[in-house]
């Protein structure tokens, strides 16, 4: 269970560029929730994910995940509990290292790294099997440098890396926004498969309303650093883009522009 | 005119063993530079000071009667500490890497003077038990730097190859390749940078310890411009061998070979009658041009590049 309580985050405080990105945010996720997050530019979606993952500290409030207080842990220590996929396909993998080397790094998330082998033979077998589930043929290119892969392949690999060691929370920050529509669909499909298979608690930021409605069991809309709409259960299942626009036209102008 | 040129050229072979020996010794230093510059993606200027620290510690230990291998080990430890200093400046104190290196380098100037007590210290090859010496460069003995340093380099490359294949070593490579990804995978990026800087400067100081024995003295200015020589070796090695050497151990070897090529070319240029005072200018310009090549390539020939290098860690939009 993820609990965000009374979160505040202001950038450039005390300057003309002051921006209150998160403004008294409260959010609780049950285990196994797959939550899609929408909201206009500057609504605080990415900031919220970055606060959870510890890219920067919160000004106020607490972040608790399954009873562990993450609020003051540094980013690399929180990584033990989190799987993350970023918007930029370049960001989640090391281009100059091989596919299997990247996976081996991910397989050691949350463990101390000593003088044992960087990759073991058993791991290679595991990676081959897991890569095969992506259906991209990467299992035959395990030693290829990741820099040679396409953006979609890199995102699929990042997704695999984020979920290789089952995370307590999966954070997807517009992870298909930089991909062409077909590749984006493929990566989203993979996302849904993996989340369903491992019953992962997931937060997925998206700019695409259709995706937000299609995926997950709960949808939240953010505005000005707060949750303004929270739809779950049956209501979420029957939700359409039209409903969303009609019911909550507060934000629709910007949402439409960015859809 | 031509005869003068020819007669000078004929003196080159006699000077070659010395040039190769220097290339080998500086090759170890260049491996240190490779670790920071290529693996960690940091230009670490500490090396200009830590090379001399290694030489100074080694020579003072030996003058006090210490076993030369133990003296070299202690010199290496001193090098690790110089890297730690830069690492702390850079990570804990948040100083940009280049400036952190410059600060350490400057402070090492004082420290090196304090270690030696004066600007230079000589060691007599007849009175002390040296591991290598310039004097034996053409003799068939283990103390011939061509033999001894080559053996040491093989051992060092084997050790580094093993280390960078371990979990800790892989995480250091990841740190340099993509710090964002590394943090997301639970890697302590700050700590890895410090470890990398320490290993690098340990190697540089070890190279300084060999160099002071080779030349028979340590001098407070022996490391001046070392970073440029190290970069030159890395760049020459890559330019000549990158297409055939892909394995990590061979990449390290290519750095050593780059260093040897550098010293052989310098030797030839000097024998041809170039004013030795211009050497540093020449080295700096050559390195500048080679550093510019990838930039020019991407700027003017980006359509023709065969293997585009992906830009890492672009800021998150």
């Amino acid at each position: 269970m993820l609990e965000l309580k009374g979160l505040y985050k202001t950038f450039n405080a005390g300057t003309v560029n002051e921006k209150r990105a998160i403004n008294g945010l409260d959010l609780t996720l049950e285990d196994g929730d797959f939550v899609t997050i929408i909201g206009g530019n500057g609504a605080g979606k990415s900031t919220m994910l970055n606060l959870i993952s510890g890219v920067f500290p919160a000004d106020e409030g607490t972040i608790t995940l399954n009873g562990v207080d993450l609020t003051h842990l540094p980013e690399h220590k929180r990584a033990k509990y989190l799987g993350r996929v970023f918007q930029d396909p370049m960001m989640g993998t090391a281009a100059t290292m091989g596919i299997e080397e990247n996976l081996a790094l991910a397989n050691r998330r949350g463990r101390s790294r000593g003088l044992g082998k960087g990759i073991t033979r058993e791991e290679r077998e595991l990676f081959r099997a897991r890569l095969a589930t992506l259906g991209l043929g990467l299992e035959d290119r395990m030693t290829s440098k990741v820099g040679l892969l396409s953006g979609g392949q890199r995102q699929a690999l990042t997704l695999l890396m984020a979920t290789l060691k089952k995370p307590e929370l999966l954070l997807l920050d517009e992870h298909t926004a930089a991909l062409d529509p077909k590749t984006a669909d493929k990566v989203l499909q993979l996302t849904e498969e993996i989340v369903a298979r491992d019953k992962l608690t997931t937060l997925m930021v998206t700019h695409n309303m259709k995706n937000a409605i299609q995926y997950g069991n709960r949808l939240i809309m953010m505005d000005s650093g707060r949750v303004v709409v929270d739809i779950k259960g049956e209501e979420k299942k029957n939700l359409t883009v039209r409903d969303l626009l009609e019911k909550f036209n507060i934000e629709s102008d910007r949402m439409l522009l960015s859809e | 005119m031509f005869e003068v040129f020819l007669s000078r050229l004929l003196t080159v072979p006699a000077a070659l063993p010395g040039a190769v020996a220097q290339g080998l010794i500086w090759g170890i230093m260049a491996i240190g530079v490779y670790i920071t510059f290529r693996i960690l993606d940091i230009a670490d200027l500490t090396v200009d000071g830590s090379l001399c620290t290694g030489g100074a510690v080694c020579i003072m230990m030996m003058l006090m009667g210490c076993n030369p291998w133990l003296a070299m080990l202690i010199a290496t430890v001193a090098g690790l500490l110089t890297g730690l200093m830069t690492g702390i400046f850079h990570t804990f104190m948040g100083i940009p890497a280049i400036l952190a290196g410059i600060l350490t380098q400057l402070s090492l100037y004082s420290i090196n003077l304090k270690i030696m007590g004066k600007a230079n210290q000589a060691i007599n090859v007849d009175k002390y038990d040296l591991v290598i010496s310039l004097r034996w460069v053409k003799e068939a003995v283990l103390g011939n730097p061509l033999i001894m340093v080559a053996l040491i380099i093989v051992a060092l490359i084997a050790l580094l190859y093993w280390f960078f294949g371990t979990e800790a070593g892989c995480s250091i490579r990841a740190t340099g390749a993509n710090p964002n990804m590394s943090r997301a995978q639970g890697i302590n990026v700050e700590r890895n940078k410090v470890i990398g800087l320490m290993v690098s400067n340990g190697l540089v100081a070890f190279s300084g310890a060999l160099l002071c024995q080779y030349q028979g003295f340590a001098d407070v200015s022996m490391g001046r411009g070392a970073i440029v020589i190290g970069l030159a070796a890395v760049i020459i090695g890559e330019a000549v061998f990158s297409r055939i050497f892909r394995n990590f151990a061979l990449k390290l070897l290519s750095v050593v070979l780059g260093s040897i090529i550098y010293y052989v070319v310098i030797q030839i240029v000097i024998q041809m009658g170039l004013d030795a005072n211009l050497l540093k200018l020449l080295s700096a310009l050559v390195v500048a041009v080679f550093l510019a090549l990838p930039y020019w390539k991407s700027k003017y020939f980006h359509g023709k590049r065969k293997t585009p290098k992906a830009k890492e860690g672009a800021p998150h939009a």
Side-chain angles (χ1 to χ4, degrees):
Chain A
M1 193 168 86
L2 173 76
E3 274 184 293
L4 309 180
K5 273 191 193 156
L7 279 185
Y8 285 88
K9 180 69 188 177
T10 304
F11 292 109
N12 305 313
T15 72
V16 286
N17 292 323
E18 183 168 300
K19 164 80 185 155
R20 178 155 277 188
I22 295 291
N23 192 5
L25 175 72
D26 294 296
L27 181 67
T28 304
L29 259 63
E30 300 302 328
D31 285 338
D33 265 358
F34 182 173
V35 181
T36 57
I37 308 165
I38 55 173
N41 291 323
K45 308 179 300 289
S46 288
T47 307
M48 175 172 81
L49 260 54
N50 285 335
L51 283 176
I52 296 171
S53 52
V55 174
F56 33 68
D59 297 338
E60 269 180 65
T62 57
I63 302 163
T64 321
L65 180 62
N66 296 335
V68 181
D69 183 4
L70 298 184
T71 318
H72 302 292
L73 283 184
E75 190 179 354
H76 69 268
K77 287 200 174 148
R78 298 189 198 189
K80 180 177 178 182
Y81 312 103
L82 306 173
R84 292 160 67 191
V85 185
F86 312 91
Q87 179 176 1
D88 181 352
M90 305 297 155
M91 210 157 150
T93 47
T96 52
M97 298 176 79
I99 293 175
E100 59 178 19
E101 286 179 312
N102 273 276
L103 285 163
L105 288 165
N107 206 26
R108 284 161 182 73
R109 184 163 52 77
R111 269 177 39 197
S112 67
R113 293 160 205 260
L115 295 179
K117 271 192 175 177
I119 312 179
T120 63
R121 194 175 302 156
E122 299 81 54
E123 276 183 311
R124 284 202 175 88
E125 290 309 310
L126 170 74
F127 298 161
R128 188 181 298 280
R130 298 298 284 270
L131 282 167
T133 63
L134 298 181
L136 296 170
L138 295 182
E139 64 275 16
D140 299 320
R141 303 171 60 187
M142 299 237 298
T143 55
S144 294
K145 297 275 183 281
V146 168
L148 300 172
L149 306 184
S150 69
Q153 289 171 326
R154 281 181 82 159
Q155 275 317 59
L157 180 63
T158 310
L159 184 65
L160 186 58
M161 286 166 64
T163 53
L164 193 59
K165 299 270 289 183
K166 188 181 170 184
E168 294 183 22
L169 177 66
L170 179 62
L171 300 173
L172 309 169
D173 191 357
E174 293 187 45
H175 68 310
T176 58
L179 308 177
D180 64 79
K182 208 178 150 198
T183 316
D185 279 346
K186 169 83 184 156
V187 171
L188 276 171
Q189 230 173 49
L190 280 170
T191 307
E192 193 176 38
E193 280 167 25
I194 292 174
V195 167
R197 184 191 67 202
D198 295 345
K199 300 182 179 58
L200 299 175
T201 311
T202 305
L203 275 175
M204 181 171 95
V205 173
T206 176
H207 260 125
N208 186 317
M209 283 207 191
K210 271 187 231 124
N211 289 338
I213 289 167
Q214 183 185 350
Y215 296 98
N217 65 335
R218 184 173 167 194
L219 180 150
I220 64 177
M221 185 191 282
M222 289 182 71
D223 185 50
S224 309
R226 265 187 256 209
V227 174
V228 289
V229 170
D230 190 342
I231 304 169
K232 45 189 145 182
E234 283 303 310
E235 196 186 354
K236 163 79 171 65
K237 276 182 196 158
N238 303 323
L239 197 67
T240 64
V241 174
R242 180 177 285 270
D243 293 340
L244 212 51
L245 288 176
E246 279 177 2
K247 279 186 187 167
F248 316 108
N249 58 2
I250 27 169
E251 270 300 293
S252 57
D253 296 350
R254 270 191 284 172
M255 287 301 300
L256 276 175
L257 283 174
S258 51
E259 187 184 354
Chain B
M1 176 66 198
F2 180 70
E3 280 155 29
V4 174
F5 182 78
L6 199 66
S7 68
R8 279 177 175 166
L9 197 63
L10 286 174
T11 64
V12 167
L16 269 187
V20 174
Q22 268 197 305
L24 283 168
I25 295 169
W26 283 85
I28 296 174
M29 184 268 167
I31 289 177
V33 171
Y34 181 89
I35 289 173
T36 46
F37 187 65
R38 280 293 182 237
I39 297 181
L40 279 183
D41 201 18
I42 289 175
D44 174 31
L45 301 190
T46 315
V47 296
D48 279 28
S50 57
L51 186 90
C52 175
T53 304
V57 169
C58 179
I59 213 159
M60 296 315 285
M61 295 297 298
M62 289 179 70
L63 288 174
M64 285 191 297
C66 177
N67 172 289
W69 290 100
L70 181 61
M72 280 156 63
L73 181 70
I74 295 171
T76 307
V77 172
L80 294 174
L81 293 177
T82 66
L84 177 64
M85 186 168 170
T86 303
I88 289 173
F89 281 160
H90 178 46
T91 58
F92 179 66
M93 295 167 72
I95 300 168
I98 291 204
L99 200 48
I102 291 174
L103 291 174
T104 309
Q105 184 198 114
L106 186 68
S107 47
L108 285 178
Y109 190 84
S110 296
I111 292 170
N112 293 339
L113 277 174
K114 277 292 175 192
I115 293 171
M116 292 194 288
K118 52 181 182 174
N120 62 68
Q121 284 281 1
I123 191 159
N124 190 325
V125 62
D126 296 317
K127 290 187 187 156
Y128 292 90
D129 179 24
L130 302 188
V131 172
I132 55 167
S133 170
L134 175 63
R135 186 182 290 183
W136 307 321
V137 79
K138 287 169 191 169
E139 291 176 27
V141 292
L142 193 60
N144 181 335
L146 294 179
I147 299 168
M148 179 57 89
V149 181
L151 289 174
I152 290 174
I153 285 175
V154 169
L156 276 179
I157 288 180
L159 188 67
L160 289 170
Y161 181 78
W162 165 78
F163 176 69
F164 282 102
T166 63
E167 294 178 335
C170 283
S171 77
I172 291 176
R173 281 158 57 214
T175 296
N178 187 346
N180 286 316
M181 168 266 199
S182 301
R183 277 187 287 263
Q185 298 303 342
I187 291 168
N188 189 337
V189 168
E190 311 281 276
R191 190 182 62 188
N192 275 354
K193 282 185 185 168
V194 175
I195 294 173
L197 284 165
M198 288 177 73
V199 171
S200 165
N201 282 291
L203 286 166
V204 173
F206 180 71
S207 161
L210 284 169
L211 186 62
C212 76
Q213 296 180 63
Y214 173 78
Q215 61 190 18
F217 65 90
D219 186 279
V220 77
S221 67
M222 69 194 271
R224 179 167 294 165
I227 181 70
V228 177
I229 297 172
L231 288 177
V234 170
I235 292 165
I236 294 170
E238 284 176 351
V240 178
F241 301 103
S242 67
R243 281 174 196 281
I244 39 175
F245 286 1
R246 301 210 176 265
N247 176 289
F248 182 69
L250 292 177
K251 279 183 182 168
L252 294 180
L253 181 65
S254 73
V255 171
V256 176
L257 296 177
S259 168
I260 294 173
I261 293 172
Y262 174 84
Y263 272 97
V264 168
V265 170
I266 293 287
Q267 187 67 46
I268 292 172
V269 172
I270 291 177
Q271 304 251 309
M272 288 297 137
L274 180 91
D275 181 355
N277 289 333
L278 294 178
L279 269 185
K280 300 239 193 247
L281 174 66
L282 190 72
S283 315
L285 292 180
V286 168
V287 169
V289 169
F290 272 99
L291 285 176
L293 282 179
Y295 171 72
W296 287 339
K297 260 191 189 167
S298 67
K299 196 168 180 189
Y300 302 111
F301 303 101
H302 48 86
K304 296 178 189 168
R305 270 195 311 176
K306 281 177 187 162
T307 50
K309 203 184 163 198
K311 181 100 182 79
E312 269 308 331
H316 190 192

